[in-house]
Amino acid sequence: MLINKLYNAPAFRFSFLFSIGIIAGRDILFAPLVLTVLIIFCLIFLIKEKNESTKLIIVSMIVVLSGIAKSNYDFHHLEKNSVLNLRSNYSDIYLKGVVTDLPEKKGDKVNFKLDSECLMSGGDTINISGTFLVTVKQSKEISGGSGIIVPEAGDRVIIFGDMADAPEETNPGEFNYRNYLYLNDIDKIFKVHFFDDINIKDGGNLSFFNRNLIIPARKYAIENINSNIGGSEAAFLNGLVTGYRTDIPREMKEDFVKAGVMHILAVSGLNVAYVIIILSFILGMLRIKLTIKIILYALSLLFYTYFTGATASIIRAVIMGTLMLLVLIVQRKINFYNIIGVSALIILAADARQLFNPGFILSYASVLSIIFFMDLLNHNFEYFSRKRKGVSLVLNNILLLILSGIAAQLGVLPATTMYFSKISLAGVAANLAAIPLSNFSLALGFFQIIAGVFSSYLCSLVAGVNTLLLKFQLWLIHGLASLKYSYVEISGVTLPEVVVFYIVLFCIVTACRKNLYPRILVSIFVICAALLFAGLAEKNLSVTYLSIGNADCTHIETPDGSNILIDAGIENPYNHSNSTRVVPYLKYKRAGDIDLLVLTSDVSKDFRVLKNLTDNFIVHKVIFDNTEGLGIDAENLLAEHKIQYTDIRDVDKISGFGNVRIYFLKSPAVKSFMVKLIYGNTSFLFPGRSEKESETEFIKIYNELLKSDILKAAKYGSDKSTSQEFLKAVKPNACVVTASGSGAQNLPSRNTLERIRNEGIRIIRTDLYNAVTFESDGRSIILKR
């Protein structure tokens, strides 16, 4: 059944092959001339070839090569004046451009998109092109007026501030904000410090379509919902109707993720269905020719696409809706796989980068899984193909709603786990309630906006009813998300694991009585093979120096699978590197247990760090600089979690972590201590908080033991540490410097870097290269990242 439908869906096959080409062309740059010649040769062979099977192969090659060419262009081609050709950071410069969308106001901050025209600095003007995300933030509230002028869509402005690249993934498992903005056509960010630094030159600089239709309609709809409903309920409804999700609180998004209903915030198929229903109702009352109806449908759907922000999910739904209407009009049988393929081809042909956009992936994964599962049910179970009436029809539709919700969740499970690191256990129950209720709220939202044009009383009446419904939905979702076992966290999902999941899922759901046991055996074999392959991988020592600014954290994975941390970042009101960087990284690495934690900093500053770690992981042993200032809170915490802890003065050497030896170097004359890690013939030295005077003392006591392959610079590369004499004693091949690279402290110090270079030692800075990992097999060390 499925094979037949795919055979009759060439667009689906072509979109699959086109996607393979896009994936290949993203990371490998091919010469345009070579690709052009290959495509021409394929076309010549296609014309001359008579064998149908060979023709199919040649056509497939042409589609793949076209995907490679499109991907090469979209990912690697830059216009000469593109802002991406400029270096990342420029401070105190003027930027001129046009605001392209409604500014997003939140508290004391305003964000807006700006199509750039030129940069001005020091009397020089550089003509540029590219889109900026501009952020204006100051302590004064923007809602009260006070002379603050916020630009509107279409305003040409000159702004003064700092240009920079968006933050990227600095440690494995972190959110790559730069890539997220890039996939959404935003090239760089620009920070304006005061609203006085915005000079509005003129307005009305958008296209006629945007200036007179899209922006006014979008602004009216958002203001209508905010003024008649307000609060979190308005933010929720705006997300449903207009795609405007800026006002949705972070806590609400977390609840939606935990409850497994994040997908209902995506403007997609149901919105398009309502637009079509409204149009059908209006056009049904008028005697209009079929061709004119089709044109009106197409124009209305095009308008709604741009009205909601033209995201991948809404474009997919609009294209599919339009194609389905055309198929029904010409009275042909609908092949959903073909329609999905056409929509995907159109989106990817316009922008190949969308293939890597989470919205695109989640949208298509959910639709495909629903269609696939519904086909299986109708084909294999006669119960679902029967015609029903009355109560039986209602019950059947409810059952289908539940099954389609389960199907959608199964289809997007790997993707949601990769992006949100959570699997909702309350998802089925939440979707059973949230989907129909949100659909009803969506319908009322449309009615409210339309009613507002004719009658403010009717509009407020509809809004009042919808407010109660929205409140109930948010209360229900929050309640389900707050349950103890509403979700489980699974981080660090890899591509091989995703492939294994889909293979096993396909084998099970397509099984029938005849092949059930063979399918089960195949599934077991695939799982065992994946586990065996993972187990056969050689276990080496892995040392990762995290990039967390002016703070330290080194994660050591030993050959026996133990996890050791040397420092764990900082946690205080001004620095949250432990909770925002270290904990997410460890979850990504699936480090459920921390077998040894060594803290070289002042113990009185580490309570919040300890609290975060014990809240998220099982900590077995902690070694402190000293335990005298531990404090009652820390002692209670350690006792509660039954954690063994030791003063550095009471330990000299630890071994047993897969033949790894750990030496603790100390002296009664200095307060700091050093840690040396030895595995086979390779070694790593961690000098902690040692300064030049301490280094001199350690040279006198340990001398030869200090020699190490990899040295971590003390105190974030401060000039107070890493003396020339110490470098000569350690004789490292590489020196890792963990620092922010900016700020008032000016770390790392130029003097320190110069001393390291003078000794011929390779410098590896986490502020430039992000987190770095060294892997040792006991004989040599390889830099992995």
Side-chain angles (χ1 to χ4, degrees):
M1 184 69 176
L2 176 63
I3 300 298
N4 291 335
K5 288 204 171 187
L6 292 180
Y7 180 79
N8 294 317
F12 184 85
R13 301 198 304 272
F14 287 164
S15 66
F16 178 75
L17 294 170
F18 195 68
S19 299
I20 291 174
I22 291 172
I23 293 169
R26 181 189 186 186
D27 299 317
I28 304 173
L29 184 61
F30 294 83
L33 181 61
V34 173
L35 286 173
T36 304
V37 170
L38 286 173
I39 292 174
I40 291 173
F41 270 118
C42 287
L43 289 171
I44 293 171
F45 282 125
L46 182 64
I47 295 170
K48 293 184 176 181
E49 185 58 48
K50 296 182 179 180
N51 185 281
E52 292 299 324
S53 298
T54 307
K55 280 186 174 182
L56 183 61
I57 294 172
I58 295 172
V59 170
S60 299
M61 290 177 62
I62 293 173
V63 175
V64 172
L65 289 171
S66 301
I68 292 173
K70 179 59 179 172
S71 184
N72 276 186
Y73 184 85
D74 288 348
F75 281 101
H76 303 288
H77 176 76
L78 291 177
E79 300 293 338
K80 288 184 179 180
N81 62 344
S82 171
V83 69
L84 292 174
N85 290 320
L86 301 177
R87 63 182 176 87
S88 58
N89 297 324
Y90 281 88
S91 298
D92 298 333
I93 61 171
Y94 290 94
L95 173 65
K96 183 180 180 182
V98 175
V99 180
T100 58
D101 204 348
L102 294 175
E104 300 171 348
K105 305 173 185 178
K106 199 168 187 178
D108 62 344
K109 184 169 71 173
V110 171
N111 294 330
F112 56 86
K113 293 180 183 178
L114 186 82
D115 268 0
S116 58
E117 296 176 346
C118 64
L119 282 174
M120 296 166 282
S121 177
D124 296 328
T125 299
I126 306 172
N127 292 325
I128 59 170
S129 65
T131 303
F132 284 81
L133 178 63
V134 180
T135 300
V136 192
K137 184 178 181 180
Q138 63 181 27
S139 58
K140 190 184 297 182
E141 288 290 333
I142 66 172
S143 58
S146 304
I148 294 174
I149 299 176
V150 178
E152 295 292 338
D155 287 347
R156 176 174 281 108
V157 298
I158 297 177
I159 56 179
F160 178 76
D162 306 327
M163 181 182 81
D165 286 325
E168 59 180 344
E169 180 190 49
T170 54
N171 301 293
E174 285 184 1
F175 177 64
N176 194 327
Y177 188 50
R178 184 183 302 180
N179 186 57
Y180 168 79
L181 292 181
Y182 174 70
L183 291 175
N184 287 277
D185 291 322
I186 296 175
D187 301 310
K188 288 184 182 285
I189 58 176
F190 197 94
K191 294 183 179 179
V192 179
H193 301 294
F194 302 99
F195 284 93
D196 292 341
D197 292 328
I198 300 176
N199 181 14
I200 301 175
K201 305 301 291 182
D202 54 65
N205 294 287
L206 298 177
S207 65
F208 176 86
F209 183 64
N210 279 303
R211 183 175 68 251
N212 296 290
L213 295 174
I214 299 297
I215 296 300
R218 189 170 170 82
K219 187 176 180 179
Y220 160 74
I222 293 170
E223 289 177 352
N224 180 298
I225 292 172
N226 286 337
S227 61
N228 286 283
I229 294 179
S232 300
E233 293 76 21
F236 179 25
L237 187 59
N238 267 319
L240 290 174
V241 177
T242 68
Y244 185 84
R245 294 185 288 271
T246 303
D247 295 333
I248 297 177
R250 180 180 296 178
E251 296 78 12
M252 187 194 297
K253 290 181 180 179
E254 279 291 319
D255 285 344
F256 276 62
V257 171
K258 292 176 182 178
V261 294
M262 190 66 182
H263 60 90
I264 66 176
L265 288 175
V267 177
S268 56
L270 192 68
N271 302 62
V272 173
Y274 280 130
V275 172
I276 292 173
I277 289 169
I278 293 169
L279 278 173
S280 299
F281 177 75
I282 295 172
L283 297 178
M285 295 185 295
L286 305 173
R287 292 184 177 181
I288 301 176
K289 290 183 179 180
L290 181 61
T291 52
I292 297 176
K293 281 187 177 181
I294 293 173
I295 293 171
L296 290 174
Y297 275 121
L299 290 175
S300 300
L301 291 174
L302 179 66
F303 169 81
Y304 190 67
T305 300
Y306 285 97
F307 172 79
T308 55
T311 59
S313 60
I314 191 64
I315 293 174
R316 187 264 308 157
V318 165
I319 295 172
M320 288 181 65
T322 304
L323 291 173
M324 287 173 65
L325 281 173
L326 291 173
V327 170
L328 290 172
I329 288 171
V330 298
Q331 296 181 347
R332 297 289 298 272
K333 191 174 180 180
I334 294 176
N335 186 323
F336 285 104
Y337 295 102
N338 216 25
I339 290 175
I340 289 172
V342 171
S343 65
L345 274 175
I346 293 173
I347 293 172
L348 296 178
D351 185 1
R353 297 175 301 173
Q354 292 304 312
L355 183 63
F356 304 93
N357 191 320
F360 179 94
I361 295 169
L362 292 171
S363 176
Y364 276 91
S366 61
V367 171
L368 275 171
S369 58
I370 290 172
I371 292 172
F372 176 70
F373 277 92
M374 292 302 105
D375 274 349
L376 284 175
L377 290 175
N378 290 325
H379 181 67
N380 295 322
F381 297 93
E382 185 183 347
Y383 172 84
F384 291 102
S385 58
R386 296 174 189 167
K387 292 184 178 180
R388 292 176 172 77
K389 295 181 180 180
V391 177
S392 179
L393 177 63
V394 173
L395 293 175
N396 184 66
N397 289 337
I398 291 174
L399 180 59
L400 284 174
L401 180 64
I402 295 171
L403 292 174
S404 63
I406 295 172
Q409 283 201 302
L410 285 173
V412 302
L413 186 62
T416 53
T417 307
M418 289 179 71
Y419 295 128
F420 303 118
S421 300
K422 292 180 178 68
I423 296 178
S424 175
L425 302 179
V428 176
N431 277 282
L432 183 60
I435 290 177
L437 292 176
S438 63
N439 291 347
F440 193 37
S441 286
L442 178 61
L444 288 175
F446 274 111
F447 188 35
Q448 172 187 327
I449 292 169
I450 295 171
V453 178
F454 306 102
S455 170
S456 57
Y457 173 75
L458 180 59
C459 176
S460 61
L461 191 65
V462 175
V465 174
N466 208 5
T467 300
L468 295 175
L469 184 59
L470 291 164
K471 283 182 180 292
F472 175 74
Q473 291 174 70
L474 293 178
W475 170 82
L476 180 64
I477 292 170
H478 176 72
L480 290 171
S482 302
L483 294 175
K484 187 175 182 180
Y485 299 107
S486 63
Y487 69 97
V488 292
E489 288 194 13
I490 298 181
S491 302
V493 175
T494 61
L495 183 59
E497 291 171 337
V498 172
V499 173
V500 169
F501 173 84
Y502 280 124
I503 291 174
V504 173
L505 182 64
F506 180 82
C507 286
I508 292 173
V509 299
T510 58
C512 59
R513 291 182 180 180
K514 294 181 180 180
N515 61 16
L516 178 60
Y517 291 111
R519 293 294 181 94
I520 292 174
L521 289 175
V522 169
S523 300
I524 294 172
F525 173 78
V526 170
I527 295 170
C528 291
L531 293 174
L532 181 62
F533 181 78
L536 289 175
E538 187 177 357
K539 297 293 185 181
N540 293 325
L541 175 72
S542 177
V543 180
T544 301
Y545 299 83
L546 270 66
S547 175
I548 55 176
N550 292 339
D552 285 329
C553 181
T554 305
H555 177 222
I556 301 161
E557 298 173 271
T558 65
D560 68 346
S562 299
N563 292 288
I564 300 172
L565 282 185
I566 299 180
D567 292 314
I570 298 171
E571 192 66 28
N572 59 42
Y574 312 101
N575 190 326
H576 302 280
S577 60
N578 176 265
S579 58
T580 61
R581 299 288 184 86
V582 176
V583 171
Y585 163 80
L586 291 173
K587 286 184 176 181
Y588 173 79
K589 298 294 288 186
R590 300 181 184 175
D593 289 27
I594 299 174
D595 298 277
L596 177 63
L597 170 63
V598 180
L599 296 172
T600 66
S601 57
D602 185 354
V603 67
S604 63
K605 299 178 181 179
D606 290 326
F607 174 72
R608 290 188 181 90
V609 169
L610 275 174
K611 182 73 168 61
N612 285 340
L613 292 178
T614 54
D615 284 347
N616 292 280
F617 312 98
I618 299 173
V619 182
H620 293 279
K621 185 174 183 178
V622 184
I623 296 177
F624 290 106
D625 179 23
N626 67 75
T627 56
E628 293 176 358
L630 196 57
I632 188 65
D633 290 334
E635 288 182 356
N636 291 338
L637 184 68
L638 293 166
E640 178 187 349
H641 293 277
K642 299 178 181 178
I643 300 171
Q644 179 186 354
Y645 63 95
T646 308
D647 194 298
I648 190 62
R649 291 170 292 188
D650 301 326
V651 60
D652 296 309
K653 175 186 174 183
I654 293 178
S655 58
F657 295 110
N659 296 322
V660 173
R661 290 167 290 158
I662 306 171
Y663 292 89
F664 297 92
L665 316 182
K666 55 200 174 181
S667 168
V670 296
K671 293 182 178 180
S672 61
F673 68 94
M674 299 185 181
V675 179
K676 180 167 183 179
L677 196 75
I678 299 177
Y679 179 57
N681 296 323
T682 61
S683 55
F684 301 79
L685 185 64
F686 304 88
R689 296 180 293 141
S690 300
E691 297 186 354
K692 292 178 182 179
E693 296 77 8
S694 304
E695 292 170 353
T696 303
E697 185 68 21
F698 283 115
I699 293 171
K700 291 178 184 178
I701 299 174
Y702 295 101
N703 197 7
E704 286 297 316
L705 188 58
L706 291 175
K707 290 182 180 179
S708 303
D709 297 302
I710 308 296
L711 169 68
K712 184 194 167 300
K715 301 181 77 68
Y716 327 124
S718 166
D719 192 33
K720 297 178 181 179
S721 302
T722 320
S723 65
Q724 207 81 37
E725 295 76 14
F726 185 67
L727 290 169
K728 290 180 182 295
V730 178
K731 297 179 181 178
N733 297 318
C735 182
V736 179
V737 182
T738 57
S740 65
S742 61
Q745 294 176 303
N746 195 26
L747 296 172
S749 164
R750 291 184 179 179
N751 294 332
T752 301
L753 297 177
E754 190 64 29
R755 288 196 295 269
I756 298 172
R757 290 193 191 97
N758 289 339
E759 292 300 317
I761 302 167
R762 181 181 179 183
I763 300 173
I764 301 173
R765 295 171 52 176
T766 58
D767 61 310
L768 300 180
Y769 303 108
N770 301 324
V772 291
T773 299
F774 293 93
E775 193 169 287
S776 168
D777 59 2
R779 298 181 297 275
S780 61
I781 298 174
I782 299 173
L783 178 61
K784 299 281 287 187
R785 174 188 168 100

